């Protein structure tokens, strides 16, 4: 798995500079940028401002809002100078991504209030690809980024979008910039950074499709695992999540989470939902731990955190868990988390069902 990184940003900004560098003699302020309401000059300034803002938020570990400043060009700055600003702000964001420790998050509003270093890299790449497209379209010059860059943006920021026949047309469609056969036009859109849920000793880190795919195929998903991990249940759940993503039915907030221990940053297990809530607001949950992490209360802590998050939502009325009849430690976990036994249709009698309500 190739995680989103500063290298992706460097590649995306270099592609922008290569295309726009061939149109420096044009009047960027006189031409509308593709389907946007801005002209090409304003769009280029917006791109540079976004890259700088992301770099500042990540480097400054912004918590509740953007760092309170914005980009202002010197009077008389021409197209060449503006393009240099884009290259510079892209380099600043790439540096911020490369130097940020794993797991560090900073403010971004969509949709859960924060993003990690990979999320900031993905947002920067998305801004570069999409606004280079807008400006190039307005100027009448050809532009198409690599399929790898477009696919990475989709994997990291659009987990709610079913993959299409090719990454770049799919990204353009997902952002209201193009059409895809058999799909309705997109008139409003937001990208989605992954959800993280804090617990006392753990962070529940939502898996993105690329991470889930790597885990399902036997990789580490970019996490440093406690010895013996990830356990087979986490890999299986990741595989089911990938299938849901590819079928276009994945709801990212009802996906799979890695349990990352605060004390050393190691992943010790996985927890997640079997899918989105049904029509009656019921959602099923499952979890596992690496063998070396068992017996320390991690599963109970994670279960309480995730069920607390779920039951605070309007679309969830109850959380279900099924446990093998022979698995007494897991039965103790759900009981400690507040679940109570309920009737369950299990012809073989091999499983017990538990439920938790608000």
């Amino acid at each position: 798995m190739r995680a989103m990184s500063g290298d992706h940003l460097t590649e995306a900004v270099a592609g922008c500079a290569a295309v726009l560098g061939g149109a420096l003699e044009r009047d960027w302020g006189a031409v509308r940028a593709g389907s946007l309401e801005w002209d090409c000059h304003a769009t280029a300034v917006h791109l540079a401002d976004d890259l700088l803002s992301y770099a500042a938020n990540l480097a400054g570990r912004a918590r509740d809002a953007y760092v309170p400043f914005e980009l202002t060009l010197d009077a008389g700055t021409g197209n060449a100078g503006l393009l240099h600003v884009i290259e510079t702000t892209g380099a600043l964001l790439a540096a911020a991504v490369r130097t940020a420790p794993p797991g560090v998050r900073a403010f971004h509003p969509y949709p859960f209030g924060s993003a990690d270093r990979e999320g900031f890299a993905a947002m920067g790449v998305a801004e570069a690809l999409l606004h280079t497209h807008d400006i190039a379209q307005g100027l009448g010059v050809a532009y198409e980024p690599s399929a790898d860059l477009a696919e990475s943006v989709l994997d990291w920021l659009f987990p709610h979008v079913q993959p299409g026949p090719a990454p770049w047309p799919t990204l353009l469609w997902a952002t209201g910039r193009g059409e895809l056969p058999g799909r309705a036009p997109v008139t409003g859109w937001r990208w989605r950074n992954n959800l993280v849920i804090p617990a006392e000793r753990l962070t529940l880190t939502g898996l993105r499709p690329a991470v889930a795919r790597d885990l399902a195929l036997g990789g580490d998903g970019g996490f440093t695992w406690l010895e013996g991990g990830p356990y087979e249940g986490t890999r299986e759940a990741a595989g089911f999540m990938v299938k849901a993503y590819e079928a276009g039915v994945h709801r990212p907030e009802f996906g799979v989470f890695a349990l990352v221990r605060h004390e050393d940053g190691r992943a010790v297990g996985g927890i997640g939902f079997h899918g989105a809530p049904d029509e009656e607001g019921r959602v099923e949950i499952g979890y596992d731990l690496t063998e070396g992490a068992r017996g320390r209360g991690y599963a109970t802590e994670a279960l309480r955190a995730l069920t607390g998050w779920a039951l605070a939502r309007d679309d969830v009325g109850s959380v279900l868990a099924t446990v093998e009849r022979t698995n007494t430690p897991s039965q103790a976990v759900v009981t400690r988390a507040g679940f109570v036994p309920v009737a369950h249709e299990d012809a073989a009698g091999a499983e017990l069902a538990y439920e938790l309500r608000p």
Side-chain angles (χ1 to χ4, degrees):
M1 182 190 72
R2 185 189 177 199
M4 289 296 291
S5 68
D7 292 343
H8 287 86
L9 274 163
T10 300
E11 180 182 348
V13 173
C16 171
V19 170
L20 301 187
L24 295 178
E25 301 305 317
R26 299 283 300 278
D27 184 356
W28 291 7
V31 184
R32 183 172 170 174
S35 60
L36 302 184
E37 295 182 357
W38 301 326
D39 60 49
C40 291
H41 181 274
T43 303
V45 173
H46 170 79
L47 169 56
D49 191 43
D50 278 345
L51 295 173
L52 181 60
S53 296
Y54 295 160
N57 273 22
L58 181 57
R61 310 292 190 261
R63 292 183 176 272
D64 302 314
Y66 283 100
V67 177
F69 73 97
E70 63 182 26
L71 177 73
T72 302
L73 297 180
D74 289 344
T77 300
N79 292 341
L82 176 52
L83 186 56
H84 190 197
V85 172
I86 292 173
E87 293 176 295
T88 301
T89 53
L92 289 173
L93 178 54
V97 169
R98 291 184 178 114
T99 56
V104 164
R105 300 185 74 86
F107 175 78
H108 188 275
Y110 308 127
F112 303 117
S114 70
D116 56 13
R117 62 183 185 181
E118 291 84 3
F120 276 101
M123 290 188 293
V125 171
E127 299 281 5
L129 300 191
L130 295 171
H131 289 316
T132 301
H133 162 79
D134 298 331
I135 298 169
Q137 190 176 51
L139 296 174
V141 297
Y143 171 72
E144 182 171 343
S146 71
D148 178 65
L149 279 179
E151 184 175 20
S152 295
V153 170
L154 289 167
D155 270 346
W156 247 255
L157 294 180
F158 293 85
H160 54 294
V161 171
Q162 182 181 18
W168 180 233
T170 302
L171 181 58
L172 292 177
W173 169 81
T175 57
R177 290 171 166 85
E179 298 180 354
L180 276 186
R183 301 195 192 185
V186 172
T187 57
W189 61 275
R190 293 288 191 196
W191 57 48
R192 301 176 67 87
N193 280 293
N194 66 328
L195 172 65
V196 295
I197 301 173
E200 182 180 353
R201 297 171 296 166
L202 305 169
T203 296
L204 282 61
T205 302
L207 302 187
R208 299 170 169 101
V211 172
R213 186 181 299 114
D214 186 64
L215 285 170
L217 294 174
D220 59 15
F223 296 98
T224 301
W225 289 85
L226 194 67
E227 185 176 354
Y231 203 63
E232 58 187 30
T234 298
R235 294 196 187 279
E236 183 178 5
F240 287 135
M241 178 183 145
V242 172
K243 290 180 180 179
Y245 168 64
E246 292 175 345
V249 297
H250 177 49
R251 291 266 304 274
E253 64 270 37
F254 290 102
V256 182
F257 300 77
L259 308 182
V260 181
R261 193 163 61 183
H262 294 165
E263 66 180 67
D264 56 7
R266 291 183 178 272
V268 299
I271 192 169
F273 300 99
H274 292 189
D278 64 17
E279 295 178 355
E280 298 182 10
R282 294 175 299 195
V283 64
E284 188 170 353
I285 202 168
Y287 53 88
D288 70 5
L289 294 175
T290 63
E291 292 186 9
R294 296 173 187 172
R296 305 183 189 183
Y298 291 141
T300 303
E301 181 180 325
L303 190 57
R304 286 172 175 161
L306 191 55
T307 54
W309 174 87
L311 292 173
R313 296 174 58 93
D314 293 336
D315 56 351
V316 177
S318 64
V319 181
L320 305 177
T322 56
V323 183
E324 293 179 0
R325 189 176 293 273
T326 57
N327 191 347
T328 53
S330 190
Q331 293 168 33
V333 167
V334 295
T335 300
R336 286 194 298 269
F339 285 71
V340 296
V342 293
H344 179 54
E345 296 182 3
D346 178 17
E351 292 182 338
L352 300 174
Y354 295 82
E355 182 183 50
L356 181 64
R357 290 182 173 272

